[in-house]
Amino acid sequence: MFKPTIWVKNVLQIDKKLLYKMGVKGLILDLDNTLSMHGSPAAEQGVTEWLQSMRDLNVKMMIVSNNKHRRVAPLAAELGLEFVSFGCKPMPFGVSKAAKIMRAWGVRKSQLAIVGDQIFTDIMGGNLYGIKSILVEPFYMEKHWVLKTKRKVEGALFKRDYSNLTVSDEDTGAF
């Protein structure tokens, strides 16, 4: 339930070689600390170029965020991505909605992967829906006590059970 299919440093490490190896043609992307800093109106450095490299590979992409529409819409528009706001992860409602849209774009469920920085929302949501999952490290550690506590629990869980999932730049052919 909590185990990601694979773990990479950040989205910039997801490349053609990794996607081919995983059989992935569509990515369901988290927003905060995956594409941008939590609450930031702009994407992190390198994300815009990475998105273009994915488009060049004909990878279909959508954002699924637990944030409200007013947070997600402006950044999704800037990035040129469709989105589902208030995705309710880890419940699979938002992931399911995105998968349905992506199916209309020609991407089967077996070809999807969710990409996110949180085990208890993104990874669990993808696993509950039955798709591959890619865990990325957050760009920055949050300061709010609830998120800091969740990160500590995730860190302990990940180090204990999933340390063998680490992928190096050499393994992925990352940028």
Side-chain angles (χ1 to χ4, degrees):
M1 177 87 54
F2 304 118
K3 185 177 180 181
T5 307
I6 199 158
W7 172 38
V8 296
K9 179 78 175 164
N10 57 49
V11 294
L12 306 179
Q13 286 191 318
I14 300 170
D15 66 356
K16 180 180 181 177
K17 182 179 176 182
L18 179 64
L19 295 175
Y20 179 78
K21 187 177 185 179
M22 294 179 72
V24 170
K25 294 184 179 183
L27 296 172
I28 296 173
L29 303 163
D30 178 48
L31 184 63
D32 286 329
N33 277 324
T34 301
L35 300 177
S36 72
M37 188 172 97
H38 190 84
S40 173
E44 280 300 306
Q45 185 175 347
V47 167
T48 302
E49 294 82 5
W50 174 78
L51 289 170
Q52 186 57 50
S53 72
M54 293 294 103
R55 288 182 182 104
D56 292 346
L57 296 171
N58 201 29
V59 175
K60 306 301 183 201
M61 298 173 287
M62 265 190 86
I63 293 171
V64 174
S65 176
N66 284 352
N67 276 299
K68 295 178 181 172
H69 185 274
R70 71 175 181 262
R71 159 69 180 127
V72 182
L75 188 50
E78 180 184 319
L79 297 174
L81 295 173
E82 298 289 325
F83 69 93
V84 174
S85 57
F86 197 64
C88 300
K89 296 175 289 183
M91 300 307 295
F93 307 124
V95 175
S96 174
K97 186 175 181 180
K100 183 177 181 181
I101 293 167
M102 294 178 91
R103 191 168 37 253
W105 297 346
V107 181
R108 296 186 314 269
K109 183 177 177 179
S110 63
Q111 298 171 316
L112 285 174
I114 189 167
V115 180
D117 68 305
Q118 293 189 53
I119 293 171
F120 299 132
T121 56
D122 308 311
I123 303 307
M124 194 172 163
N127 290 342
L128 285 171
Y129 187 67
I131 61 174
K132 298 168 188 91
S133 56
I134 302 172
L135 179 67
V136 296
E137 294 179 21
F139 282 116
Y140 302 98
M141 294 308 286
E142 298 89 349
K143 294 181 178 157
H144 191 272
W145 71 271
V146 172
L147 293 172
K148 284 171 76 172
T149 302
K150 189 185 330 184
R151 292 287 183 205
K152 285 183 181 185
V153 173
E154 286 180 343
L157 179 69
F158 193 77
K159 286 177 187 171
R160 184 181 71 230
D161 294 329
Y162 311 125
S163 58
N164 63 329
L165 294 176
T166 303
V167 175
S168 71
D169 288 345
E170 188 175 285
D171 292 335
T172 65
F175 304 115

